[in-house]
Amino acid sequence: MALKDYARKQAQEKEPITVGIPRAFLYYRNGTLWREYFRTLGVHLVISQPTNRKIEEDGMKAAIDEMCLAMKIYLGHVKSLIGKCDYILIPRVVDFGIRRVYCTSFEGLPDIARNVFRNENIQILSYNVNVQGKKDEESAMILMARELGFSAREGKNAYRAGRKAADREFASKVKAAEALYRRNGLRVAVGAHSYIAEDDYIGKPVIDMLKKMNVIPIRADFVDRKKARERANEISPTLKWDFSREIAGGIAMHMKQIDGIILLSAYPCALDSMVDDMIVRKAEGTRIPILQLTLDAQTGTAGVETRLESFIDILRMNRGASGQELSREKEEELIEAMDAGKTQGEGAEA
């Protein structure tokens, strides 16, 4: 049954619409926008539970091996919502303009989910953002509201309420992050996509480990996005991925206020493999230590903890917190410890 027909049938029977939202990928960037948008429309929401081992394993079973860990987790969240709602929100996002392109995974999400779960009773609710193709976010979400049986005016009001709430929330995060750069202590910029850094099962445990080590982790992407993109142009005028430009620009803007950088990514992210290497090369000469930490589907935390502890030791000695200079022998010893930790597995389990 077509989406419009299904929505019309529900409206005629006066059944409340329930939309499921996977707690993965763009949820960590657009969650507030979506929640306020649907709340304004009077749509009931079901948000999948935080990532856990079962969700990860279900996603791995549904995905092909070549998919990145973030995509596998996303599919696990989609599966967890099947049968619990009328529709599952899976938007298609291509770009937000020139050199503001999204990973192709976001462009193919609705088709991927529809194909993977083709034997399931799944109804996908989507909207298409492709600014270079003359399809902006506001128009796309107004059209989605109309497909659900609401008027264009209702859709516009819902979108603007959601965008206002999202912008206000993000502005508060930026303000809090800027305050962290002024705090006394060991400050480490964490360069990671929001769906990695904020995921309770893979990325958030890394942030928590840093806090337990009395380190001040600061999200590099919590920054004025426009200024970060402009700064990223100085680093690489050809870098076209929106999230990567925000992260690279955010790091560049605060290079003089940090003691170290952790580049956190999920295996095997093709974008991060290129962009992280570029950041490392551009940072040469600054003498700011950088740790590249790739998370995979393994469940042990020992390797991650070992690498983090060794890296933080280097930062403390580099800063002179112990009152000693870092000897070449000690530096080599710590690097060997980091490499040993890498061989023990790089997954993180909540």
Side-chain angles (χ1 to χ4, degrees):
M1 185 182 296
L3 179 60
K4 286 184 178 179
D5 295 335
Y6 190 74
R8 188 178 298 113
K9 179 177 180 294
Q10 284 186 296
Q12 291 172 348
E13 297 176 359
K14 297 183 178 180
E15 295 180 4
I17 298 173
T18 301
V19 172
I21 301 181
R23 193 190 295 264
F25 267 161
L26 292 179
Y27 174 80
Y28 293 103
R29 187 179 181 93
N30 293 336
T32 300
L33 165 64
W34 294 337
R35 290 193 301 271
E36 186 62 22
Y37 169 86
F38 287 115
R39 186 198 67 77
T40 303
L41 290 175
V43 172
H44 296 174
L45 288 180
V46 175
I47 299 173
S48 60
Q49 62 183 306
T51 306
N52 53 43
R53 187 165 184 172
K54 185 180 186 307
I55 286 177
E56 182 188 59
E57 289 179 346
D58 285 346
M60 291 178 66
K61 291 175 183 176
I64 60 174
D65 292 341
E66 289 76 11
M67 288 180 173
C68 71
L69 178 60
M71 173 63 84
K72 293 172 181 175
I73 287 175
Y74 184 84
L75 292 177
H77 279 277
V78 172
K79 181 176 177 59
S80 74
L81 288 169
I82 295 176
K84 299 178 180 178
C85 51
D86 299 308
Y87 312 101
I88 298 178
L89 177 66
I90 307 179
R92 184 194 309 277
V93 183
V94 180
D95 67 76
F96 272 80
I98 298 174
R99 283 186 294 120
R100 293 194 60 190
V101 178
Y102 276 39
C103 170
T104 53
S105 293
F106 297 110
E107 181 177 354
L109 269 187
D111 297 324
I112 292 171
R114 190 174 289 111
N115 181 64
V116 168
F117 301 109
R118 58 188 175 276
N119 296 323
E120 306 276 357
N121 183 23
I122 180 173
Q123 287 280 350
I124 294 177
L125 175 65
S126 188
Y127 62 89
N128 181 14
V129 179
N130 182 357
V131 172
Q132 293 189 74
K134 309 302 181 183
K135 298 177 181 178
D136 62 83
E137 183 181 66
E138 181 174 0
S139 298
M141 294 188 72
I142 291 173
L143 178 59
M144 180 171 65
R146 293 185 64 187
E147 290 177 343
L148 287 173
F150 298 97
S151 68
R153 179 180 293 277
E154 289 174 317
K156 178 180 286 189
N157 290 339
Y159 171 76
R160 293 186 174 179
R163 174 47 59 199
K164 182 178 180 180
D167 290 346
R168 183 170 58 246
E169 180 190 58
F170 186 70
S172 67
K173 290 181 178 179
V174 172
K175 183 177 180 180
E178 290 296 334
L180 292 178
Y181 286 112
R182 297 189 293 271
R183 279 185 55 186
N184 292 326
L186 205 62
R187 298 181 294 271
V188 175
V190 179
H193 300 300
S194 58
Y195 51 84
I196 301 299
E198 296 178 42
D199 188 282
D200 289 83
Y201 192 67
I202 58 171
K204 193 170 181 294
V206 176
I207 305 295
D208 292 340
M209 287 180 200
L210 290 171
K211 291 178 180 178
K212 289 179 181 178
M213 296 176 191
N214 294 320
V215 171
I216 304 172
I218 310 173
R219 289 275 298 280
D221 58 329
F222 285 173
V223 67
D224 184 305
R225 288 169 174 165
K226 183 178 180 180
K227 291 181 180 178
R229 290 193 296 268
E230 292 173 353
R231 190 61 181 272
N233 291 339
E234 300 173 12
I235 300 173
S236 173
T238 60
L239 184 61
K240 65 178 183 178
W241 297 293
D242 204 26
F243 299 167
S244 299
R245 289 176 68 199
E246 292 171 4
I247 293 170
I251 291 174
M253 288 169 63
H254 299 96
M255 194 69 79
K256 295 181 180 181
Q257 298 168 280
I258 55 178
D259 299 287
I261 301 169
I262 294 178
L263 301 175
L264 189 64
S265 63
Y267 179 83
C269 179
L271 271 61
D272 283 353
S273 67
M274 292 184 285
V275 176
D276 288 357
D277 182 66
M278 180 201 72
I279 292 174
V280 170
R281 287 186 286 106
K282 292 293 184 178
E284 289 179 359
T286 65
R287 296 186 63 81
I288 295 179
I290 300 177
L291 172 64
Q292 291 179 267
L293 191 60
T294 303
L295 304 174
D296 59 21
Q298 298 184 46
T299 58
T301 61
V304 173
E305 290 182 44
T306 300
R307 296 193 69 197
L308 286 177
E309 289 171 353
S310 299
F311 181 66
I312 298 307
D313 283 344
I314 289 176
L315 296 188
R316 294 192 191 285
M317 293 183 181
N318 195 42
R319 200 179 196 218
S322 64
Q324 300 175 352
E325 291 294 327
L326 180 62
S327 68
R328 180 62 182 171
E329 292 76 12
K330 183 63 177 177
E331 183 176 5
E332 290 177 353
E333 178 184 329
L334 291 170
I335 292 173
E336 287 178 4
M338 290 170 66
D339 291 336
K342 185 175 182 180
T343 64
Q344 295 176 30
E346 298 179 328
E349 181 178 3

